[in-house]
Amino acid sequence: MSLTLLAQGLLAAPEGEEEGFVAPTVEHSFFFDRIGDGTVIASVKAMVLLILGVIILCAFFLAASRKAAMKPGKLQFAGESLYGFIRNGIAIEILGKHGKAWAGFLATLFLFIFIQNIWGIVPVAQLPVTSHFAIPVLLALVVWVLYMYVGIRKHGFFGFFKMMCYIPGIPPAMHILLIPIEFLSNIVLRPFTLAVRLFANMFAGHMLITIAGFGAIYLWTSGGVTNFLLGILPAVGGIGLVFFELLICGLQAYVFTLLAAIYLESSLADEH
Amino acid sequence: MAAEYLAELTGNIGTVGYGLAAIGPGIGVGIVWASYISSTARQPESAGLTRTYAFLGFAVSEALALLGFVVPFILT
């Protein structure tokens, strides 16, 4: 009996074709807005959040570094901890002696991605800017251009491609197979996976929270005590997902920065 | 004799496809972290040393599941 009720609740009122649960679509607030006559423009909300995030980031670090003292205050300590985390944990650990030179870029990259991810779980905002594919693509392109430029400057054009595609010390016939694979994985797929990883994680997380929210609201507004009680499940699950997203936001920003550092290191490395 | 349907399924077969696409990366990511945990348990001082490779392996195996995730957007 109760199982049937549960199933009915979960299947969201099968009677009444038009009245059933309407899942949120990909278009609900993603990618583009439509103005009056159906013209497609960039999502206004995402662009506002993007600019706002950059302003917050700049303001925070300007404030944190303004009155730099030997004995740091709270704000300065927070700023230096964030910067030091990337500088020591990623830049110096992976890039070694080049680490200090790249620490600024990597810390900026990390904090920019982190703050644009965090918009997804900030109440009212609730839209991760990085779930718009253009933003991760731009970031991945910046990393790609940088590590190509750095590698070509250090090893020369042919030296760099030889280092990227040619594995020494294997039977000569294997090069027919391995050079295209190495080229594909090191030059083509690296920026692609970098962009897709960030985009897909934030996008999927945002859709999960949205579906949980839609489900809870649908059950609560469809009337009946059972539906109301069942609506608690997605609501609680949605809150849990928000905390899970907090973890994912930090993790994806960290992974992106780490991979950027590893790619830069592979370009800066001496020839093997 | 007309076929009798016990239940009707609606929706997109692509969801099943994504489920299949997620099996391999799921196992792969699990192996990566399991190895990282066991290596850290055996030799705690190597944790910082192997973390980079753990994240690298995690990112590379996860990429396949993410490719499966974005394929519908590319194909439509």
Side-chain angles (χ1 to χ4, degrees):
Chain A
M1 172 64 193
S2 61
L3 206 67
T4 325
L5 279 175
L6 189 74
Q8 269 176 6
L10 290 177
L11 289 175
E15 74 272 6
E17 292 285 313
E18 303 295 314
E19 297 292 304
F21 174 66
V22 182
T25 58
V26 172
E27 288 228 351
H28 76 281
S29 66
F30 272 120
F31 305 130
F32 303 109
D33 283 351
R34 280 174 203 284
I35 48 172
D37 54 344
T39 320
V40 173
I41 55 166
S43 169
V44 175
K45 189 178 173 187
M47 293 307 118
V48 169
L49 291 176
L50 177 71
I51 304 288
L52 205 60
V54 173
I55 290 172
I56 289 172
L57 202 60
C58 291
F60 172 73
F61 274 97
L62 281 177
S65 62
R66 218 161 77 129
K67 279 184 282 179
M70 280 299 286
K71 184 167 170 286
K74 279 177 190 155
L75 199 61
Q76 192 193 343
F77 178 72
E80 285 180 357
S81 308
L82 282 172
Y83 175 69
F85 168 64
I86 299 301
R87 180 181 178 269
N88 301 330
I90 294 181
I92 289 179
E93 188 162 307
I94 290 169
L95 290 164
K97 64 180 195 297
H98 304 290
K100 276 181 189 168
W102 289 100
F105 168 67
L106 292 173
T108 314
L109 194 63
F110 173 79
L111 288 163
F112 176 77
I113 296 170
F114 184 68
I115 202 160
Q116 303 303 350
N117 288 351
I118 278 292
W119 282 129
I121 56 170
V122 170
V124 183
Q126 300 279 36
L127 177 72
V129 180
T130 39
S131 69
H132 288 244
F133 198 29
I135 309 287
V137 164
L138 180 74
L139 292 168
L141 270 181
V142 167
V143 171
W144 185 76
V145 167
L146 260 179
Y147 84 77
M148 294 287 279
Y149 172 73
V150 163
I152 288 172
R153 198 179 58 175
K154 171 149 184 173
H155 301 283
F157 189 80
F158 289 104
F160 175 68
F161 277 93
K162 181 168 173 271
M163 192 180 78
M164 282 281 151
C165 305
Y166 181 83
I167 304 171
I170 54 168
M174 287 300 283
H175 284 309
I176 301 166
L177 192 64
L178 279 175
I179 286 178
I181 290 177
E182 285 289 302
F183 179 82
L184 207 64
S185 92
N186 286 346
I187 310 283
V188 181
L189 282 179
R190 270 181 182 184
F192 181 70
T193 52
L194 208 55
V196 162
R197 176 176 305 110
L198 183 59
F199 157 73
N201 269 292
M202 299 323 296
F203 181 75
H206 184 63
M207 283 309 275
L208 278 176
I209 294 178
T210 317
I211 285 171
F214 267 62
I217 291 169
Y218 171 75
L219 285 172
W220 280 340
T221 51
S222 57
V225 181
T226 326
N227 279 351
F228 183 82
L229 291 177
L230 279 170
I232 295 173
L233 279 175
V236 172
I239 293 170
L241 279 173
V242 166
F243 285 103
F244 178 67
E245 272 305 290
L246 183 62
L247 173 77
I248 296 291
C249 288
L251 186 73
Q252 287 309 318
Y254 182 78
V255 166
F256 195 101
T257 318
L258 189 78
L259 286 174
I262 288 172
Y263 296 162
L264 282 169
E265 198 271 337
S266 75
S267 290
L268 286 167
D270 298 317
E271 288 194 56
H272 45 217
Chain B
M1 185 181 143
E4 191 184 330
Y5 297 109
L6 280 176
E8 190 190 8
L9 285 177
T10 54
N12 196 333
I13 194 73
T15 52
V16 180
Y18 180 67
L20 292 174
I23 295 173
I27 296 171
V29 170
I31 289 175
V32 167
W33 289 117
S35 313
Y36 178 61
I37 291 166
S38 67
S39 74
T40 309
R42 280 169 190 232
Q43 201 163 351
E45 58 268 34
S46 77
L49 212 65
T50 47
R51 193 191 299 122
T52 307
Y53 301 112
F55 271 108
L56 191 63
F58 157 74
V60 170
S61 28
E62 189 203 33
L64 295 169
L66 298 174
L67 290 182
F69 184 80
V70 290
V71 160
F73 298 111
I74 296 169
L75 290 186
T76 50

